Amino acid sequence: MSSLTSSLVEVHIVHKGNEHYAKGRKLAENVYRQVWGTKNLLDGNDYGVIVSHNGKVLGNINIQFRRSRDLLKSEVFFGERHWQEYSDAQPSQIAELSALALAQDVPKQLRRPTMMTLILGIYLICHAENIKFVATVQHDYLIRILSKSLHLPFFRNEYVKHIYGEVPNDNYWNRGKLPRLYYFLPNSLHTINACASFITRLPKTKIVKSDFPVIKPDSLLDRSTFPEHWDKVKNYNFANFAYAS
């Protein structure tokens, strides 16, 4: 991670329609096309978290709120309210992650920090928007990476194992082993601790631009106060922020 000491990594948490959202989606579309042969990456999201390094986009992840759509993308494939055996959260408190992608040429030393930062952005969104239950459709091997490397507490839906709707005709869905439904709880202690630990594992993370009420520009993120600060975040407007060492 020493290469970060003299360079800037920008993190943008933006609504769909923002120019940075479009850049993140372009990266995701290119990666899915190269890796999976996906011709049309499904959108319908509300926000994007985009990480870039010296102006080059490194990573993207998107989130879709159930309250702003009739169905989540995963409900089209796996059935309406597929989470009901695991959560009694209201539809307005449900969201879905998709389009997680890292650029193919991301330097090895930046891959983990990029992934951590994407997840931190999602964590912020969930707390700001009162999201209590998050779904995602992923292959088992990626969840193993996220669970073992980043200690994120994803768990699999063991009830829904069949696809009900028509899926895209690409290698993501046409492999011998299908992707499965996974969930995580943004408010769980395990999730909070995992996200807080990212800050200590990122090099001297410093907010240099922020409109978050509880975080001032040029402030340092401190793991010991992370859960307390984030629990106080209420109804703030998302803005671009960046960290530099």
Side-chain angles (χ1 to χ4, degrees):
M1 298 183 187
S2 60
S3 63
L4 291 177
T5 58
S6 60
S7 58
L8 182 67
V9 174
E10 296 180 343
V11 187
H12 302 274
I13 302 179
V14 292
H15 194 275
K16 182 178 180 179
N18 180 279
E19 62 176 314
H20 293 287
Y21 180 94
K23 290 179 180 179
R25 287 295 297 185
K26 183 176 180 180
L27 168 70
E29 288 168 358
N30 289 338
V31 170
Y32 274 70
R33 185 180 304 111
Q34 294 167 15
V35 175
W36 303 111
T38 304
K39 295 180 180 179
N40 296 299
L41 190 63
L42 297 177
D43 198 342
N45 301 299
D46 293 280
Y47 280 94
V49 180
I50 302 92
V51 177
S52 60
H53 181 237
N54 292 334
K56 174 182 171 58
V57 178
L58 298 184
N60 176 84
I61 192 170
N62 296 129
I63 187 167
Q64 176 186 11
F65 302 141
R66 178 60 157 78
R67 62 175 174 265
S68 58
R69 300 289 184 276
D70 292 334
L71 295 175
L72 296 176
K73 292 185 288 291
S74 59
E75 290 181 89
V76 176
F77 304 141
F78 292 99
E80 189 170 347
R81 301 199 182 196
H82 50 66
W83 59 83
Q84 59 188 353
E85 297 292 339
Y86 295 91
S87 175
D88 58 0
Q90 298 298 313
S92 63
Q93 299 171 323
I94 304 291
E96 178 175 349
L97 301 183
S98 63
L100 172 60
L102 298 186
Q104 298 285 74
D105 58 350
V106 174
K108 184 177 180 180
Q109 69 272 20
L110 289 180
R111 297 187 72 83
R112 183 175 291 185
T114 299
M115 188 70 77
M116 290 178 180
T117 307
L118 290 172
I119 299 299
L120 278 173
I122 290 298
Y123 180 84
L124 284 169
I125 291 173
C126 289
H127 273 262
E129 295 286 346
N130 193 32
I131 299 299
K132 296 185 177 180
F133 198 82
V134 178
T136 188
V137 178
Q138 302 293 343
H139 286 282
D140 292 343
Y141 73 87
L142 177 59
I143 295 297
R144 284 197 298 270
I145 292 173
L146 294 175
S147 299
K148 293 183 178 180
S149 177
L150 303 184
H151 306 293
L152 292 168
F154 284 92
F155 58 97
R156 189 168 63 187
N157 186 316
E158 299 294 350
Y159 292 93
V160 180
K161 299 180 180 180
H162 302 288
I163 296 174
Y164 297 97
E166 183 178 352
V167 299
N169 183 25
D170 60 18
N171 294 328
Y172 191 86
W173 290 94
N174 291 333
R175 297 181 69 200
K177 195 171 185 180
L178 288 171
R180 296 285 299 274
L181 276 168
Y182 284 89
Y183 307 118
F184 81 93
L185 307 175
N187 294 332
S188 76
L189 183 60
H190 287 96
T191 300
I192 293 172
N193 285 340
C195 290
S197 74
F198 296 167
I199 295 173
T200 63
R201 296 160 71 182
L202 291 168
K204 297 181 181 179
T205 306
K206 185 178 182 180
I207 301 297
V208 297
K209 183 181 180 183
S210 174
D211 288 334
F212 297 158
V214 297
I215 304 177
K216 303 299 182 182
D218 298 323
S219 64
L220 287 171
L221 290 179
D222 183 345
R223 182 185 177 185
S224 65
T225 59
F226 177 86
E228 176 186 354
H229 282 181
W230 259 251
D231 285 343
K232 292 179 180 178
V233 176
K234 299 292 184 183
N235 300 322
Y236 54 73
N237 293 320
F238 292 126
N240 301 336
F241 67 97
Y243 67 76
S245 54

